[in-house]
Amino acid sequence: MKTDTAVRLPTYPGTSRGSAWLRRFGYVLLYFLLSLVALLQILPLVWLLLFSLKNNQEVFDMAPFSLPATPRWENYVKVWTEGNISLYFFNSVWITVVSVVVTVLFASLVTFAITRMRWKGRSLVLGLFMVGLMIPVHSTLIPLFSLFLKLHLTDHPLSVILSYIAFNMPITIMILLGFYYALPREVEEAAVMDGCSVHRIFFRIVLPMTSSVISTTAIINMIYNWNEFIFVNTFISTDSYKTLTVGVQNFIGQYTTDWGAIGATLMISIMPILIAFLILSNRIVEGIAAGSVKG
């Protein structure tokens, strides 16, 4: 005859109620701290919006968060029409889109080859890409300028696009690696048994399965490319190829500076990134969470 030898701990009245109250208090405290952090993150955007609606006198005479006497929405019209911001905005959009698409596609191909194929030197190739994370951008300006000068690519958008792709490949591959290692191989093995080629496996099976982490890498690349200044300022001299980050300098003169116009330009440059992040925010969190653990 078997007896139950398990020891039961005594329960005291009010224990579950007290733990529930502590848990509820912890959630309230957590949400309060998160709300405070979110408010601190939003304050610079509010300040920039108010800044863009003022003239030079109001910028220096009024408090930073004070409302202007008359909101100067004409600052936005001025920068869009007279400041050539519409052209810079279009250049930023198409250069960013092309760079992001090519970077994510090439990085996905490299990661697929490293994690799913067996070939000599794949560890060395991965190490070479990871070394790229340690190379400072400023140390490459002179060699890149010399290279593009020999290839007749200076003052051409292709020089900027190639630089973006080269410097974003290592971080993109590093993010994709964790996700690719967690992908089940059974799906690919079943596709091979059905006669599927390597290219079809990648484009028809693996690429759709990695859509969440691709969204993560895309928004990271988008933020970097959209806000980048050094490469455009170094390699591009023609006004028709410049982007928003360099176009802001049009409102900085030798004797006067239109601060309201600068604020409007910065506000215009921020909005696309905010909109893209709000649209892709759920996919970004999914990609980070899925790529952080190995299944």
Side-chain angles (χ1 to χ4, degrees):
M1 182 177 180
K2 296 182 180 180
T3 58
D4 189 2
T5 58
V7 179
R8 296 183 178 180
L9 297 176
T11 58
Y12 300 97
T15 302
S16 59
R17 187 179 303 174
S19 60
W21 183 88
L22 288 176
R23 192 181 304 112
R24 190 177 298 110
F25 175 77
Y27 278 120
V28 171
L29 181 61
L30 176 63
Y31 281 114
F32 173 77
L33 293 177
L34 292 178
S35 301
L36 185 60
V37 172
L39 180 62
L40 293 176
Q41 296 291 330
I42 294 174
L43 282 179
L45 296 177
V46 176
W47 171 82
L48 183 59
L49 176 61
L50 297 176
F51 182 89
S52 66
L53 299 176
K54 299 176 182 178
N55 56 23
N56 286 356
Q57 183 178 359
E58 291 174 334
V59 166
F60 292 103
D61 294 344
M62 300 177 66
F65 289 97
S66 60
L67 295 174
T70 303
R72 298 181 177 273
W73 296 103
E74 59 268 20
N75 287 339
Y76 289 87
V77 179
K78 178 181 179 181
V79 300
W80 192 262
T81 56
E82 301 177 14
N84 218 15
I85 294 301
S86 57
L87 176 62
Y88 302 148
F89 185 87
F90 175 75
N91 290 338
S92 294
V93 169
W94 80 263
I95 289 176
T96 299
V97 170
V98 171
S99 302
V100 169
V101 170
V102 175
T103 302
V104 173
L105 179 60
F106 282 6
S108 299
L109 289 169
V110 172
T111 308
F112 179 80
I114 291 175
T115 59
R116 288 302 195 262
M117 298 181 179
R118 296 181 179 179
W119 46 282
K120 293 182 179 180
R122 61 176 182 173
S123 300
L124 176 62
V125 171
L126 178 59
L128 291 176
F129 276 108
M130 293 301 102
V131 168
L133 293 171
M134 298 181 288
I135 300 177
V137 176
H138 301 81
S139 65
T140 63
L141 290 178
I142 296 177
L144 283 177
F145 187 84
S146 177
L147 174 64
F148 292 142
L149 191 63
K150 294 178 181 178
L151 297 176
H152 304 287
L153 290 178
T154 53
D155 198 22
H156 193 281
L158 190 58
S159 61
V160 178
I161 294 174
L162 292 176
S163 301
Y164 289 170
I165 294 173
F167 277 90
N168 287 333
M169 282 284 287
I171 185 65
T172 306
I173 292 174
M174 188 179 68
I175 296 173
L176 291 174
L177 275 175
F179 194 91
Y180 270 74
Y181 280 126
L183 288 178
R185 294 181 178 269
E186 289 77 8
V187 179
E188 301 167 39
E189 293 173 355
V192 172
M193 295 297 294
D194 292 338
C196 194
S197 64
V198 176
H199 301 87
R200 293 183 64 185
I201 290 175
F202 175 76
F203 287 104
R204 296 287 185 88
I205 298 175
V206 175
L207 208 59
M209 290 173 63
T210 58
S211 59
S212 58
V213 73
I214 285 177
S215 300
T216 305
T217 55
I219 192 65
I220 292 175
N221 281 269
M222 190 185 306
I223 293 173
Y224 174 82
N225 296 343
W226 188 269
N227 296 325
E228 202 280 323
F229 173 82
I230 298 175
F231 288 140
V232 179
N233 192 50
T234 304
F235 302 145
I236 302 297
S237 57
T238 302
D239 197 61
S240 58
Y241 294 144
K242 291 181 179 179
T243 59
L244 272 174
T245 52
V246 180
V248 178
Q249 300 181 20
N250 288 352
F251 303 99
I252 302 176
Q254 183 177 2
Y255 301 104
T256 60
T257 300
D258 194 342
W259 294 105
I262 292 176
T265 304
L266 295 176
M267 200 67 193
I268 292 174
S269 66
I270 289 174
M271 292 308 298
I273 295 298
L274 289 179
I275 294 173
F277 184 83
L278 291 175
I279 294 174
L280 301 175
S281 59
N282 292 334
R283 306 301 298 272
I284 293 170
V285 175
E286 292 176 5
I288 294 175
S292 61
V293 294
K294 185 176 179 179

